[in-house]
Amino acid sequence: MDRDKALRRTTAITGALVAASVAGTLAVGVAAHASSADEISTTTEAGSGSSDSGTTTSDWPQLSGGGSGDSGQATTGGS
Amino acid sequence: MPLVETLPVGADTAQWPVWGTTARIVVTDPGAVPAAAALVRAELAAVDAACSRFREDSELRRAGRAHGRPVPVSPLLAELVGAALDAARQTGGAVDPTVGAALCGLGYDRDFAAITGRRVAPAVRVFPAPDWRAVTLTSDTLVVPDGILLDLGATAKALTADRAAARVAERLGVGVLVALGGDIATAGPAPEGGWRVLVQDRPGDPSCVVRLPAGTALASSSTAARTWGRSLHHILDPRTGRPARPVWRTVSVAAFSCLHANTLSTAAVVLGHGAADLLGRAPARLVTPALDVLRRGGWPA
């Protein structure tokens, strides 16, 4: 009786581990899909162009666009 | 003419020529402009004396004449060289300060203002294997192997913008934007809505205006700026000793320091099609030679 009980418990634990593993694999897959999806949207600026829509994080500053007719206080060209 | 010179100079702004480009400062209190300009000029002069490769009396040139012997260096030069070596490390050598001799071999051997229109010899590579790992820096000692000429241009200008902005904000208690050519650093409080920056390389190129939050920075690197001779420009590919192939005409990157932004923008130009992996999620705008624009990392449309 004790042996059967222990066997059932072992089977249950193994099943839970397998389920957790599958869930983790799926989660990684979804995350990877979301990550690559960030790279494919397109927009244009002053002619043809493309862009990703990756969100900024606290690792990077969040820029905003100037309004129409907005002029610069400084210029970043190449130099 | 650098595009920046065409912008109006209001009561809150000062600008003047330096290092073959234009220094421009904007402050949140117009009354602080003279004092801010004086602080920035002092910072520029200190950096020039420390690391100009065009001045015989600079600390950097003296270190280069030591034939590989250890040379004591000032804290400023140690910081500048350290920043250049860090940039090399972070970019896998794409931004390499040991390209100085190769730049000289291409004709960029004096202040850029003296180069425009000058005839130069065909491109040659002066020595075969410049490598930043050959340079050794401790806290106050620098060893530059014989035959290597350091060029800190890619990182020194950006670090100078960071240092100057921080100094102005700390000393005067105002918000400030410091622009040195394509390198922009800010410190202190920003104007309402952020610092407005026109992003455009040459007149006629695609343009946009972005707003920078306080304490952020923006740098652009270009294969269309600082050009001379036959299709020569100032961003060298350390692997070849020649100007990087113009896969990108202009790369602009935003970060929390101008040094970081410039490291990424310069490396992106050098790496060409490999720039995407390096940039990751950094806000970036890349312009092709055909003037197509690619925006990444949340760069605003």
Side-chain angles (χ1 to χ4, degrees), chain B residues 176-227:
Chain B
V176 62
L177 175 153
V178 175
L180 301 176
D183 295 325
I184 293 178
T186 70
E192 187 176 348
W195 297 101
R196 302 187 312 275
V197 177
L198 172 63
V199 183
Q200 183 177 26
D201 197 342
R202 305 287 101 179
D205 281 11
S207 67
C208 66
V209 173
V210 296
R211 289 173 176 260
L212 298 180
T216 60
L218 185 56
S220 292
S221 298
S222 168
T223 57
R226 291 186 190 244
T227 61

